[in-house]
């Protein structure tokens, strides 16, 4: 019984242990079940979305196995495209500032463009592969219809985007932003290195010294060319040219601004007189030469340096725009304005000045502005030259007519030299001088060639001699217009001496000859003598001594006779002095000589008379009525005769009754006794 009992206890203990273990397992399972409950609930909640995700691939196993290869072929190129796209956006930080490292920036930009080319070339292929797999899924009912429809819409959008924007959206606008920064850097390099030319660099006499060096350092030009390469590759050449022209033309204008070129904008109506035109044209010639030989020469060279790799048309086009915008057209317009101003004869010299300036710059103009791009400048220049030649020729050939027209005008009321005479003598001398003769010959030769006529230098000489001869005829006509014959003698004396003095030793004088000059010198002497004889030389006759030397009537009778004769002398002297005080002898040497002859004819006689007979009246209570003058006061008064009065200067102007000079006005040249040097 004892052994059985022990076995039962052992079994009981074993059962108890087993029960305990199972109880623990139950408790553990219970805990696990409790923990799995929320997870199952979560799974239960996600089942609808999982069902939707799984739904597209609800298909038989063999159908899914067949579609796998198609999916792999579509996904691989698409994944490659996405990888490159991610790499592109990794370049963004390296494309923020081209100024700090331009070469590095351009290198990164090159990589970006390479990546974009890859995207451009492969995006279409990836889309096509994806489009094919969607079509396969749809044809074989492998996926849910709603799923394939959504995919088809997405792929359609991608195709449309690629077709419209090309590479524009592939990088999110990174390339365009990078190129914009390059344009900014292009402008910055130009602006910071474009310094207006200092005015101390004015044109020199040596033409070679006038050529300005390239105004930009070589390193800057190299950077500009590097930037140009990238921008041109992206169809931004026109924008580059626009920036370049804007900056460089502004720089040229800044250089010219210091020259005060406001006069270039003057209108025809604002040309008030000859002096203003002369001053403006002198400035214009100097400033035009400075602009061409310094500023535009430098711009021409720089355009070639910067754009030379792009061809002749590109860099010459840029230069043409710079020249036009910087002020070249304004220079030419000013010249045109001068040609449209009133046709005063002095304008001939100014037109010749313009022609001479353009002629000096002819080679520079042909070289700088000779290309097709500068057609506007060429046309304006040709038009200006044509206007200058026609205007100068017209004035020259009409001079004789104008001189002849003045013949009907009244002579100077003071017997002086008419402005026409002084003007023509100086004018002719200038036209045959070294400054104007070659230019005038060239202008007239061109004008004649346009008319298919020959021009010989003798024509110029002949025409100028005709002008002098016409002046002589005018003098003869004017002298006959005086009511006072004595005044006509003063007039002829004045003008013959003027012609002799101002043409002797000149080229015109040489053409006229020594005999002609001697005739005018002799005529001066003749009219001087007859003037003195018919006027002042008659005064001493009033101081006759007749009846005073041998008189026997006593002192009172002698006193009365002296008073009578002094009174007659004083009245005659006052009358002639008053009249002659308004007359003028222009040339100082002739005036002093004439005054001296008058003094010699009167003062010694008066002095002797007063020494001998003055005491008879000086003690008389009314002595001042008769002894009005001393010899010294007479000499002083006579020495002050015939002095010229201050007058304005200028050339004679053409008369309105000339059909070709219809915009002129008649000049009252006779009012001016002073010679004019135009």
């Amino acid at each position: 019984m004892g052994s059985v009992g022990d076995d039962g206890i052992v079994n009981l203990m074993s059962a108890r242990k087993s029960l305990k273990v199972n109880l623990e397992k139950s408790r553990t399972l219970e805990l696990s079940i409790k923990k799995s409950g929320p997870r199952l609930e979560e799974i239960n909640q996600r089942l609808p979305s999982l069902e939707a995700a799984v739904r597209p691939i609800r298909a038989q196993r063999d159908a899914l196995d067949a579609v796998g290869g198609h999916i792999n072929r579509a996904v691989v190129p698409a994944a490659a495209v996405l990888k490159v796209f991610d790499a592109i956006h990794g370049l963004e930080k390296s494309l923020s500032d081209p100024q700090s490292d331009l070469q590095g920036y351009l290198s990164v930009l090159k990589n970006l463009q390479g990546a974009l080319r890859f995207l451009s070339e492969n995006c279409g292929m990836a889309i096509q592969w994806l489009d094919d797999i969607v079509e396969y899924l749809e044809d074989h009912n492998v996926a849910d219809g709603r799923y394939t429809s959504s995919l088809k819409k997405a792929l359609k959008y991608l195709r449309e985007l690629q077709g419209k924007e090309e590479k524009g959206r592939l990088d999110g606008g990174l390339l365009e932003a990078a190129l914009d920064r390059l344009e900014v850097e292009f402008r910055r390099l130009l602006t910071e290195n474009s310094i207006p030319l200092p005015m101390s660099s004015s044109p020199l006499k040596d033409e070679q010294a006038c050529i300005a060096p390239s105004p930009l350092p070589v390193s800057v030009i190299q950077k500009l060319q590097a930037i140009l390469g990238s921008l041109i590759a992206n169809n931004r050449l026109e924008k580059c040219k626009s920036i370049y022209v804007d900056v460089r033309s502004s720089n040229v204008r800044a250089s010219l601004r210091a020259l005060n070129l406001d006069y270039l904008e003057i209108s025809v109506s604002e040309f008030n007189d000859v002096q203003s035109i002369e001053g403006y044209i002198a400035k214009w010639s100097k400033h035009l030469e400075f602009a061409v030989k310094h500023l535009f020469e430098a711009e021409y060279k720089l355009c070639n340096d910067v754009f030379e790799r792009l061809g002749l048309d590109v860099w010459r086009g840029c230069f043409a725009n710079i020249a036009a915008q910087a002020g070249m057209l304004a220079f030419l317009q000013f010249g045109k304005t001068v040609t449209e101003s009133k046709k005063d004869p002095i304008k001939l010299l100014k037109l010749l000045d313009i022609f001479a300036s353009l002629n000096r710059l002819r080679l520079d103009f042909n070289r700088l502005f000779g290309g097709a791009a500068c057609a506007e400048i060429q046309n304006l220049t040709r038009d200006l030259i044509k206007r200058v030649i026609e205007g100068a020729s017209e004035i020259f050939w009409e001079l004789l007519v104008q001189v002849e027209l003045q013949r009907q005008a009244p002579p100077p009321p003071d017997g002086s030299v008419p402005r026409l005479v002084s003007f023509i003598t100086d004018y002719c001398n200038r036209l045959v001088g070294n400054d104007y003769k070659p230019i005038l010959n060239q202008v007239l030769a061109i004008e004649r060639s346009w008319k298919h006529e020959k021009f010989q230098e003798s024509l110029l000489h002949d025409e100028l001699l005709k002008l002098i001869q016409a002046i002589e005829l005018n003098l003869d006509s004017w002298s006959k217009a005086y009511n006072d014959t004595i005044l006509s003698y003063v007039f002829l004396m004045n003008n013959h001496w003027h012609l002799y003095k101002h043409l002797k030793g000149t080229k015109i004088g040489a053409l006229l000859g020594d005999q002609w000059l001697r005739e005018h010198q002799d005529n001066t002497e003749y009219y001087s003598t007859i003037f003195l004889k018919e006027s002042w030389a008659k005064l001493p006759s009033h101081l006759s001594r007749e009846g005073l030397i041998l008189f026997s009537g006593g002192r009172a009778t002698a006193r009365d006779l002296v008073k009578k004769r002094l009174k007659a002398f004083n009245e005659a002297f006052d009358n002639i002095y008053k009249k002659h005080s308004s007359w003028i002898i222009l040339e100082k040497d002739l005036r002093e000589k004439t005054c001296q002859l008058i003094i010699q004819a009167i003062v010694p006689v008066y002095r002797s008379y007063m020494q001998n007979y003055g005491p008879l009246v000086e003690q008389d209570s009314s002595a001042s009525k008769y002894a009005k003058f001393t010899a010294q006061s007479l000499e002083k008064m006579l020495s002050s005769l015939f002095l010229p009065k201050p007058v304005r200067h200028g050339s004679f102007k053409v008369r309105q009754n000339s059909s070709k000079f219809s915009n002129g006005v008649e000049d009252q040249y006779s009012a001016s006794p002073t010679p004019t040097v135009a």
Side-chain angles (χ1 to χ4, degrees), residues 207-246:
E207 288 190 5
Q208 295 301 321
C210 294
I211 305 302
S214 174
L216 294 184
V218 175
S219 60
V220 174
I221 293 177
Q222 291 173 344
K223 288 182 179 180
L224 293 174
Q225 290 175 333
I227 294 174
L228 274 172
S230 292
L231 292 176
I232 292 171
N234 288 274
N235 299 317
R236 294 202 178 198
L237 174 59
E238 292 304 316
K239 186 62 180 296
C240 292
K241 289 162 59 178
S242 176
I243 293 172
Y244 184 87
V245 170
D246 180 51

Side-chain angles (χ1 to χ4, degrees), residues 510-578:
L511 292 174
L512 292 165
D514 292 338
Q515 178 62 33
W516 185 91
L517 292 170
R518 280 195 299 271
E519 288 178 0
H520 283 280
Q521 184 180 28
D522 293 342
N523 284 335
T524 302
E525 294 293 334
Y526 171 77
Y527 289 112
S528 176
T529 300
I530 195 172
F531 158 73
L532 184 64
K533 179 181 177 181
E534 296 296 326
S535 57
W536 294 97
K538 293 182 178 181
L539 283 181
S541 63
H542 293 289
L543 300 178
S544 172
R545 300 180 183 225
E546 183 179 354
L548 294 178
I549 299 176
L550 300 175
F551 75 89
S552 57
R555 188 177 183 86
T557 302
R559 182 184 298 111
D560 291 341
L561 192 55
V562 170
K563 286 181 179 180
K564 181 179 179 181
R565 291 176 179 174
L566 284 175
K567 182 180 180 181
F569 174 86
N570 292 338
E571 290 177 352
F573 180 89
D574 286 341
N575 288 336
I576 193 171
Y577 184 83
K578 181 179 180 181

Side-chain angles (χ1 to χ4, degrees), residues 563-596:
K563 286 181 179 180
K564 181 179 179 181
R565 291 176 179 174
L566 284 175
K567 182 180 180 181
F569 174 86
N570 292 338
E571 290 177 352
F573 180 89
D574 286 341
N575 288 336
I576 193 171
Y577 184 83
K578 181 179 180 181
K579 181 188 294 185
H580 289 202
S581 292
S582 63
W583 298 353
I584 289 173
I585 297 179
L586 184 61
E587 304 293 345
K588 181 180 178 181
D589 50 359
L590 180 61
R591 182 172 64 251
E592 291 179 349
K593 179 181 178 181
T594 302
C595 289
Q596 193 59 39

Side-chain angles (χ1 to χ4, degrees), residues 16-36:
R16 179 177 177 275
K17 183 177 180 181
S18 175
L19 182 61
K20 186 177 181 180
V21 169
N22 288 330
L23 183 61
E24 290 296 327
K25 287 182 179 181
S26 296
R27 288 175 179 173
T28 301
L29 180 61
E30 181 183 8
L31 290 174
S32 297
I33 290 172
K34 287 181 179 180
K35 290 181 180 180
S36 298

Side-chain angles (χ1 to χ4, degrees), residues 412 414-419 422 584 586 644-647 669-675:
D414 54 17
S416 145
V417 177
R419 182 177 301 160
S422 59
I584 289 173
L586 184 61
K645 309 298 188 297
V647 292
Y669 65 86
S670 59
S672 173
T674 54

Side-chain angles (χ1 to χ4, degrees), residues 93-106:
K93 292 183 179 179
S94 301
L95 291 172
S96 60
D97 182 18
Q99 180 177 350
S100 58
D101 181 11
L102 179 60
Q103 290 303 321
Y105 188 94
L106 294 176

Side-chain angles (χ1 to χ4, degrees), residues 310-584:
L310 306 180
L312 196 65
D313 292 342
V314 173
W315 72 262
R316 281 199 168 180
C318 284
F319 172 72
N321 289 331
I322 290 171
Q325 294 182 24
M328 190 63 211
L329 300 182
F331 277 107
L332 297 174
Q333 180 59 46
F334 173 84
K336 180 182 177 183
T337 301
V338 174
T339 66
E340 294 172 343
S341 63
K342 58 188 176 183
K343 289 181 172 60
D344 189 294
I346 196 63
K347 180 181 170 182
L348 170 59
L349 301 182
K350 301 305 106 189
L351 292 176
L352 294 179
D353 287 338
I354 291 177
F355 182 85
S357 295
L358 294 173
N359 197 44
R360 284 195 302 271
L361 297 171
R362 180 170 54 86
L363 295 179
D364 298 283
F365 265 68
N366 290 341
R367 179 169 51 85
L368 298 179
F369 311 117
C374 293
E376 183 179 11
I377 293 176
Q378 294 169 29
N379 292 335
L380 288 176
T381 303
R382 280 193 293 266
D383 179 65
L384 174 57
I385 293 173
K386 183 175 183 290
R387 286 170 172 270
V388 167
I389 291 174
E390 290 179 343
S393 300
E394 181 182 14
I395 293 173
F396 178 77
W397 296 119
E398 280 289 306
L399 282 173
L400 180 60
V401 175
Q402 297 308 313
V403 171
E404 292 172 342
L405 285 173
Q406 298 289 352
R407 196 169 296 163
Q408 305 304 318
D414 54 17
S416 145
V417 177
R419 182 177 301 160
L420 175 64
V421 176
S422 59
F423 175 80
I424 289 296
T425 53
D426 177 72
Y427 195 70
C428 290
N429 276 326
R430 296 183 73 178
L431 288 180
V432 295
N434 294 332
D435 291 337
Y436 286 111
K437 180 180 177 181
I439 305 169
L440 181 55
N441 276 331
Q442 188 176 356
V443 166
L444 296 178
I446 295 172
E447 186 259 349
R448 288 284 166 149
S449 70
W450 290 346
K451 298 180 178 180
H452 305 289
E453 300 175 4
K454 292 184 178 180
F455 173 80
Q456 296 178 345
E457 189 172 329
S458 59
L459 287 177
L460 173 60
H461 294 161
D462 293 344
E463 198 68 19
L464 295 179
L465 292 180
K466 289 178 184 178
L467 286 176
I468 300 299
Q469 292 165 0
I471 286 293
E472 292 181 291
L473 293 175
N474 284 16
L475 292 178
D476 183 63
S477 177
W478 288 331
S479 68
K480 295 175 182 178
Y482 286 106
N483 294 323
D484 190 329
T485 305
I486 305 300
L487 180 56
S488 71
Y489 298 151
V490 174
F491 173 78
L492 290 169
M493 177 176 62
N494 258 320
N495 286 277
H496 282 295
W497 182 251
H498 181 86
L499 292 176
Y500 169 77
K501 180 176 181 180
H502 287 271
L503 295 180
K504 181 182 180 182
T506 67
K507 292 185 178 182
I508 287 292
L511 292 174
L512 292 165
D514 292 338
Q515 178 62 33
W516 185 91
L517 292 170
R518 280 195 299 271
E519 288 178 0
H520 283 280
Q521 184 180 28
D522 293 342
N523 284 335
T524 302
E525 294 293 334
Y526 171 77
Y527 289 112
S528 176
T529 300
I530 195 172
F531 158 73
L532 184 64
K533 179 181 177 181
E534 296 296 326
S535 57
W536 294 97
K538 293 182 178 181
L539 283 181
S541 63
H542 293 289
L543 300 178
S544 172
R545 300 180 183 225
E546 183 179 354
L548 294 178
I549 299 176
L550 300 175
F551 75 89
S552 57
R555 188 177 183 86
T557 302
R559 182 184 298 111
D560 291 341
L561 192 55
V562 170
K563 286 181 179 180
K564 181 179 179 181
R565 291 176 179 174
L566 284 175
K567 182 180 180 181
F569 174 86
N570 292 338
E571 290 177 352
F573 180 89
D574 286 341
N575 288 336
I576 193 171
Y577 184 83
K578 181 179 180 181
K579 181 188 294 185
H580 289 202
S581 292
S582 63
W583 298 353
I584 289 173

